[in-house]
Amino acid sequence: MIIPLDAIDSDTLNNIIEAFILREGTDYGAQEASMQEKIAMVKMQLQQGKAVLVYSELHQNVNILPAKQFNQVPSSSDDY
């Protein structure tokens, strides 16, 4: 289930993004970025719809996924 950004407190969103960054070891290019810069980059991707905040009932956690990945539906040819 996608969580709308306006349904989440700003501090909570920042904490979710920070946990995502630490967990994923995200690469931000040749130049090192501060945690605040990384949070701002991920937040911008969420606001632009390039990434989505997703709650998994199965795993009972929140994750950030690329919007394209979340919206992919396997075709019938992918079933074998």
Side-chain angles (χ1 to χ4, degrees):
M1 167 175 70
I2 294 179
I3 302 170
L5 292 182
D6 59 358
I8 236 173
D9 177 70
S10 178
D11 288 337
T12 302
L13 179 60
N14 285 344
N15 290 336
I16 292 169
I17 293 171
E18 184 173 340
F20 168 77
I21 292 166
L22 293 172
R23 182 177 66 244
E24 296 298 319
T26 310
D27 182 14
Y28 290 85
Q31 201 171 21
E32 187 60 33
S34 72
M35 181 59 73
Q36 291 304 319
E37 291 170 322
K38 293 175 184 180
I39 290 172
M41 288 180 215
V42 173
K43 191 180 287 188
M44 184 183 308
Q45 290 180 359
L46 288 166
Q47 291 168 339
Q48 293 173 342
K50 294 179 181 178
V52 290
L53 198 56
V54 179
Y55 174 72
S56 168
E57 290 185 43
L58 176 64
H59 298 103
Q60 296 185 353
N61 69 4
V62 177
N63 199 4
I64 298 171
L65 297 174
K68 289 180 184 178
Q69 177 184 335
F70 186 79
N71 292 327
Q72 285 182 343
V73 176
S75 68
S76 58
S77 64
D78 293 339
D79 292 337
Y80 34 96

